[in-house]
Amino acid sequence: MLDRYRRRTIWILALPIIGGQVSQNVLNLVDMAMAGVLGPYAVAAVGLGGFINFTAGAVVIGLSSGVQAMAARRKGEGREDVMAVPLNGGLLLALLIGIPISAAVFWFAPDFYPLINGDPEVYERGAPYVQARIVAMTALGMNFAFRGYWNGVSQSGVYLRTLLVMHAANIFLNYVLIFGKLGFPELGVTGAGLGSAIATALGTVYYIAQGLTLGKPHGFFHGLPDRETMATMIRLSVPSCIQQLFFAVGFLTLFWIIGRIGTLEVAAANVLTNVVLVAILPGNGLGLAAASLVGQSLGAGNPRDAHRWGWDVVKMATLLLSCIGLPMVVVPDLILMGFLHDQVTLDLARMPLRVTGVGALADAAGIVLLNALLGAGASRQVMVMSIALQWFLFMPVAWLVGPVLGWGLLGVWSCFIGYRTLQAAVLAVMWEKKHWTQIKV
């Protein structure tokens, strides 16, 4: 059992992160629900376009773990005057990486989108959606760098406030741009992408304003980071960026596999994915809290406490995700009916959602321990494990079970949950070996 102090410490740090994580994907579900009014092809276009944007953004999203690991370690070491220096490095890398990649994706989106889904009804809507969203890729990378910093120094409330501002703006902009309200043009699916891009940029502006207020005493915007800081940032962030990229490309490949089964299956899988993300993101919020607590304990020279924090957070995440997974098993239709408006697609999604609810228990441990290892600086080890399981095990089995053997969406989705369960077991072994306690950050 956890004592009162440790429970309180975890919740104080985790609750704002959980709020931010849940609000982020609730917004995705709002987008999906709005697009659902336009029909299943619009749902498929928005879902696939969102994953393409996530795939392109993966190369900057990984900056968050490097910033968080370094900022948490500096806080644990008592070097609060330089806590924000890693953030400066993350923002610089977001600029250097984000601008050229976003330009390339914008230019080639109409060519590669049909390779993922060849249905004209899907890619004719999806390609402009991707182009609208990708213009905010640099801002997305900066936002994730800020997220890593605020969570790493135990100021997760700043992260939550910024996301709430972004999401309020996004909901308003999506409504007026998708449906042409208040004198704006009716842009349909493209309007959803444009609204998300503008809201992302507004979030960056708000983050910078808060950084100038709260982060200046800790080195925010006090010149460029030195060579050692940048080298450490690159060493920690690049493996995480690669892992995020392969994970995202893997999801695109998964949707390509599902697309070989049918377009309605793609629409069902899009909704399943977004519902699942809302469900597991509280666990991810607890995982980010674990990353900060582990990093701060290692900075204070207490690896035993860092190890204990990992398992303490796993206990809380398991309890939380079991409560969230229960409705998926018992009343799946009640969850799905808000997003799927035709009976055939709803029938396709019902059993996969139940399988997800059962797998939530194991996934809780995997999510927390993966983030805890990143907080300790073990990004290279996590990268190797993640890529190996996803690409050399799950993907070939999903292709065999789905298009080859014809087991449909349920078969592919069951393989996905099984792969996540196996990953959780491997991460538990990695955590118990404690090699991460020797990593210098």
Side-chain angles (χ1 to χ4, degrees):
M1 296 292 294
L2 278 69
D3 60 53
R4 182 176 180 181
Y5 164 74
R6 297 181 80 82
R7 288 198 305 269
R8 184 173 180 273
T9 300
I10 293 169
W11 283 122
I12 287 175
L13 181 55
L15 280 176
I17 304 175
I18 292 172
Q21 295 275 299
V22 172
S23 70
Q24 188 167 349
N25 271 79
V26 166
L27 178 63
N28 290 339
L29 290 178
V30 171
D31 287 353
M32 195 71 68
M34 288 182 180
V37 176
L38 304 177
Y41 293 102
V43 173
V46 169
L48 288 175
F51 277 114
I52 291 173
N53 182 73
F54 173 66
T55 301
V59 294
V60 291
I61 288 173
L63 297 173
S64 175
S65 62
V67 173
Q68 183 167 354
M70 294 181 70
R73 194 71 68 96
R74 300 296 173 267
K75 181 177 176 65
E77 293 167 348
R79 299 167 59 192
E80 297 192 1
D81 58 320
V82 295
M83 285 193 312
V85 173
L87 172 60
N88 298 339
L91 297 176
L92 177 60
L93 288 175
L95 276 172
L96 296 176
I97 298 171
I99 293 176
I101 292 181
S102 60
V105 173
F106 185 92
W107 183 265
F108 292 109
D111 297 320
F112 66 70
Y113 196 103
L115 300 177
I116 301 169
N117 189 295
D119 191 318
E121 291 282 345
V122 176
Y123 72 71
E124 286 177 5
R125 302 182 187 194
Y129 174 82
V130 171
Q131 289 178 311
R133 287 201 65 176
I134 203 64
V135 296
M137 179 177 169
T138 300
L140 177 70
M142 289 184 169
N143 290 355
F144 270 88
F146 274 112
R147 186 191 82 170
Y149 173 72
W150 295 120
N151 292 343
V153 300
S154 300
Q155 295 190 48
S156 51
V158 178
Y159 165 59
L160 174 60
R161 289 197 301 271
T162 307
L163 281 184
L164 293 178
V165 170
M166 287 173 55
H167 297 342
N170 201 350
I171 290 172
F172 170 76
L173 290 168
N174 281 3
Y175 175 71
V176 299
L177 293 175
I178 291 173
F179 303 112
K181 303 297 183 179
L182 302 178
F184 286 86
E186 184 177 343
L187 299 177
V189 170
T190 304
L194 186 59
S196 297
I198 296 172
T200 300
L202 289 174
T204 304
V205 173
Y206 192 65
Y207 267 133
I208 291 173
Q210 292 179 101
L212 292 173
T213 301
L214 302 174
K216 267 200 166 184
H218 309 299
F220 180 63
F221 270 17
H222 287 184
L224 295 176
D226 58 30
R227 181 177 298 180
E228 181 181 357
T229 298
M230 289 303 297
T232 304
M233 174 65 62
I234 292 170
R235 176 171 59 84
L236 294 176
S237 297
V238 167
S240 183
C241 289
I242 294 172
Q243 177 222 333
Q244 291 283 350
L245 178 61
F246 272 84
F247 179 77
V249 172
F251 251 109
L252 281 178
T253 306
L254 174 62
F255 274 93
W256 178 82
I257 292 172
I258 295 172
R260 306 282 73 76
I261 302 172
T263 299
L264 292 181
E265 282 80 0
V266 172
N270 284 327
V271 173
L272 280 169
T273 301
N274 281 280
V275 171
V276 167
L277 286 176
V278 169
I280 68 172
L281 280 177
N284 195 53
L286 283 164
L288 291 172
S292 296
L293 293 167
V294 167
Q296 291 172 17
S297 294
L298 291 174
N302 195 342
R304 178 178 295 181
D305 197 46
H307 177 262
R308 184 182 171 190
W309 277 123
W311 285 120
D312 284 350
V313 179
V314 165
K315 295 173 186 175
M316 299 181 70
T318 301
L319 177 61
L320 180 60
L321 263 67
S322 63
C323 295
I324 294 173
L326 184 61
M328 297 183 196
V329 178
V330 179
V331 286
D333 286 17
L334 191 63
I335 299 171
L336 294 170
M337 284 189 298
F339 313 101
L340 296 172
H341 304 288
D342 65 286
Q343 190 61 43
V344 175
T345 313
L346 191 148
D347 290 342
L348 288 170
R350 181 182 299 113
M351 283 305 298
L353 186 60
R354 282 179 165 152
V355 172
T356 303
V358 174
L361 289 174
D363 213 18
I367 293 167
V368 170
L369 293 178
L370 185 146
N371 281 284
L373 286 164
L374 292 176
S379 54
R380 183 178 62 83
Q381 295 90 327
V382 170
M383 175 195 70
V384 172
M385 178 278 306
S386 177
I387 292 174
L389 288 181
Q390 184 182 24
W391 283 92
F392 295 101
L393 178 63
F394 167 60
M395 288 311 208
V397 173
W399 170 258
L400 176 65
V401 166
V404 176
L405 297 180
W407 292 3
L409 178 62
L410 177 59
V412 172
W413 205 258
S414 298
C415 292
F416 173 69
I417 300 303
Y419 136 71
R420 299 284 293 179
T421 301
L422 176 60
Q423 179 172 277
V426 174
L427 287 165
V429 173
M430 292 171 64
W431 188 252
E432 280 304 293
K433 286 187 175 180
K434 300 182 184 178
H435 296 320
W436 47 269
T437 60
Q438 307 301 316
I439 298 173
K440 303 298 181 183
V441 174

